[in-house]
Amino acid sequence: MAAGQKIFYTIAMTIKKQMYVSNVLMVLVPLLVMVLLFGGTYLRMDALLESDAGGIPSEISHELREIRELLLPVHDVFMKCVVALALVFGTLIFLSVFLSNYFLSRSFFRRIMEPLSLLENSVHKIQRGDLEHPLNYGRQDEFTDICAAVDLLSRKLKEAMIARQKDEQSRKELVAGISHDLRTPLTAIRACCESLVEGIPASHEQRASYLGLILEKELVIERMISQLFLFSKMELDTFPLKLEVFSPKKLIEKTAQSFAASSRKFEFSLRCEPGCRIRADREQFERIVQNCIGNSLKYSDRDIPSLGAEVKSDGGRVHVLFTDDGPGADGDLEKLFTLFYRKDKARKDTAGGSGLGLAIVRKAMEQMGGTASAERNEPRGLCIHLVFPGCTEDREKAEAEEGAAE
């Protein structure tokens, strides 16, 4: 018998024994009292009839002798009747009390055993890892709270198990993604180094080209490790945040200009509702803008991509939207925020991106109390929708700052 079964069985049998003992005592105690009363009466009358009249006045003694002479013939008959009546009434009382207690106890015991059996089965299922069946107890009695607690425990364990499975799957995907994305540039670096050792590039220009490729791949690895380190700090909540209230317009323009100076040509438009201010970390917000714009440029199939940003307020929150006219994304857009996810299933475009950009965007938004989601842009393209906690105070100050920046 399992430990859980022994516990429930011991509790149930203890209750059962206590109920049986209490029922027996409820019957025996009144019966014993009745026997003592009748027995005492019988003995007392017998003593009176057989006692002498010593110490009693002659008139009273004479009357007692006459009474005794009258009662002696009927004494035995009277006492037999008394005993018979006592036995009959005692038997009736015993049977009525016993039967009523028996059926009441049986019903009461059944009402106890049903929830105990339900709890026992639920505990055994939890012990076996079967968390798919909730504990449904429809009554409102003393067992309602404990049944609800066991059901809550089962649901919490199920949630924890699902979260652990997701974490395990994410860890496996993370290891696989890191292994693949590091292997690609390392393979290129190794090939270049072997060619240089063997003297394959004969001219100075060829050697410079090989060294330039090595440097490019090394920068890819460095950027990937840096982003992984950043994401790990965010996951562990060890990344320091300095939240402040500011207008996002200037930072968005600055970041877009830095891309225009260092990457391919693209068109960029910005619409910002006057007075919009967000509460965020400036460094994190700049990184978010970099990742959103960089992601659009990496996957654009246009010669001159057209990107846009819009800032608007709605009910105390500020919405920042980054749009592009690229190929967009099919299927579940939530996957875009998964580590190492790329549209390219073969994962051959490592140089184009590490697959960490949008994952960092979402994690940074969550740390700052905001949200990040992806939407399809019409007629084509993708929209990254960011929602920041808004700040409506000092609206005139924000408009003045924007005017000074312009």
Side-chain angles (χ1 to χ4, degrees):
M1 183 181 293
Q5 289 178 314
K6 289 183 179 179
I7 292 174
F8 282 106
Y9 182 76
T10 302
I11 294 173
M13 290 308 296
T14 301
I15 296 173
K16 189 174 181 179
K17 288 178 180 178
Q18 290 177 352
M19 291 174 61
Y20 284 157
V21 171
S22 64
N23 289 338
V24 170
L25 291 176
M26 288 175 65
V27 174
L28 289 182
V29 170
L31 187 61
L32 182 61
V33 171
M34 186 176 63
V35 169
L36 291 176
L37 288 175
F38 277 102
T41 304
Y42 175 81
L43 294 175
R44 181 59 180 167
M45 290 184 66
D46 189 65
L48 287 173
L49 291 173
E50 293 180 357
S51 63
D52 56 8
I56 300 177
S58 59
E59 296 83 359
I60 299 175
S61 176
H62 179 71
E63 292 178 359
L64 287 174
R65 282 194 296 272
E66 291 179 354
I67 293 172
R68 184 170 59 182
E69 291 174 357
L70 292 173
L71 291 177
L72 281 174
V74 298
H75 172 260
D76 293 337
V77 176
F78 175 75
M79 294 311 299
K80 289 178 180 179
C81 291
V82 169
V83 172
L85 288 174
L87 290 175
V88 170
F89 282 107
T91 304
L92 291 175
I93 294 173
F94 175 81
L95 290 176
S96 62
V97 174
F98 177 80
L99 292 175
S100 61
N101 282 322
Y102 174 77
F103 288 108
L104 288 175
S105 301
R106 186 182 179 87
S107 175
F108 181 68
F109 184 70
R110 187 184 298 113
R111 289 182 63 86
I112 291 178
M113 283 305 299
E114 287 179 2
L116 284 178
S117 299
L118 196 63
L119 285 169
E120 180 184 6
N121 293 332
S122 181
V123 170
H124 289 165
K125 288 178 182 178
I126 293 175
Q127 186 179 16
R128 293 193 303 267
D130 182 7
L131 305 175
E132 299 298 329
H133 302 88
L135 176 58
N136 297 319
Y137 186 68
R139 296 177 182 173
Q140 293 295 326
D141 53 24
E142 291 79 3
F143 289 94
T144 302
D145 292 339
I146 188 171
C147 288
V150 173
D151 183 57
L152 179 62
L153 172 64
S154 176
R155 287 189 280 110
K156 291 294 184 182
L157 287 174
K158 182 179 179 181
E159 293 173 1
M161 184 177 295
I162 293 174
R164 186 178 66 179
Q165 291 173 351
K166 288 183 177 179
D167 290 341
E168 183 67 18
Q169 183 64 26
S170 298
R171 186 188 67 81
K172 292 179 180 179
E173 292 177 356
L174 178 63
V175 172
I178 294 174
S179 301
H180 183 281
D181 288 2
L182 286 177
R183 186 184 300 115
T184 303
L186 286 175
T187 301
I189 292 174
R190 179 178 180 178
C192 291
C193 291
E194 289 176 350
S195 298
L196 288 171
V197 170
E198 294 174 1
I200 294 178
S203 63
H204 176 74
E205 290 77 8
Q206 289 178 333
R207 287 194 296 271
S209 175
Y210 275 62
L211 292 174
L213 181 59
I214 292 174
L215 179 60
E216 178 185 346
K217 298 302 180 182
E218 188 276 334
L219 291 175
V220 170
I221 296 175
E222 182 181 356
R223 182 170 61 250
M224 186 188 308
I225 293 175
S226 176
Q227 288 183 325
L228 277 172
F229 181 67
L230 173 63
F231 188 83
S232 299
K233 290 179 67 177
M234 291 180 177
E235 280 282 309
L236 297 173
D237 291 328
T238 57
F239 190 89
L241 288 178
K242 184 181 179 182
L243 297 178
E244 53 184 306
V245 178
F246 60 92
S247 172
K249 181 179 179 182
K250 189 174 181 180
L251 262 178
I252 294 175
E253 289 177 338
K254 176 185 175 183
T255 306
Q257 290 172 2
S258 67
F259 272 96
S262 60
S263 75
R264 61 173 174 166
K265 293 182 179 181
F266 65 94
E267 297 177 356
F268 184 79
S269 62
L270 173 62
R271 290 185 297 173
C272 185
E273 184 179 309
C276 284
R277 295 162 66 81
I278 62 174
R279 179 176 281 104
D281 181 278
R282 285 182 181 270
E283 181 181 351
Q284 286 283 58
F285 180 70
E286 184 175 1
R287 183 176 290 109
I288 288 171
V289 177
Q290 289 174 351
N291 289 348
C292 289
I293 295 177
N295 190 74
S296 296
L297 292 176
K298 289 169 188 173
Y299 297 105
S300 177
D301 56 355
R302 303 277 190 172
D303 294 332
I304 301 180
S306 178
L307 312 183
E310 181 179 2
V311 182
K312 57 184 180 180
S313 62
D314 177 23
R317 299 182 73 83
V318 177
H319 300 257
V320 181
L321 297 92
F322 292 94
T323 58
D324 60 53
D325 60 349
D330 300 325
D332 186 7
L333 297 182
E334 281 295 305
K335 292 181 179 179
L336 296 176
F337 298 96
T338 304
L339 282 175
F340 296 104
Y341 176 80
R342 298 191 190 91
K343 288 176 58 182
D344 180 11
K345 299 300 181 182
R347 305 180 61 88
K348 296 178 180 178
D349 56 341
T350 309
S354 62
L356 290 165
L358 292 182
I360 291 175
V361 168
R362 169 162 286 183
K363 181 59 65 175
M365 289 298 298
E366 290 175 353
Q367 282 193 324
M368 294 186 293
T371 60
S373 59
E375 304 168 359
R376 290 182 175 82
N377 191 32
E378 298 298 335
R380 74 192 304 264
L382 189 68
C383 172
I384 303 299
H385 187 175
L386 311 176
V387 182
F388 288 86
C391 185
T392 56
E393 70 267 17
D394 299 333
R395 191 178 184 90
E396 295 180 356
K397 180 180 178 181
E399 294 176 356
E401 289 179 357
E402 293 173 2
E406 293 176 355

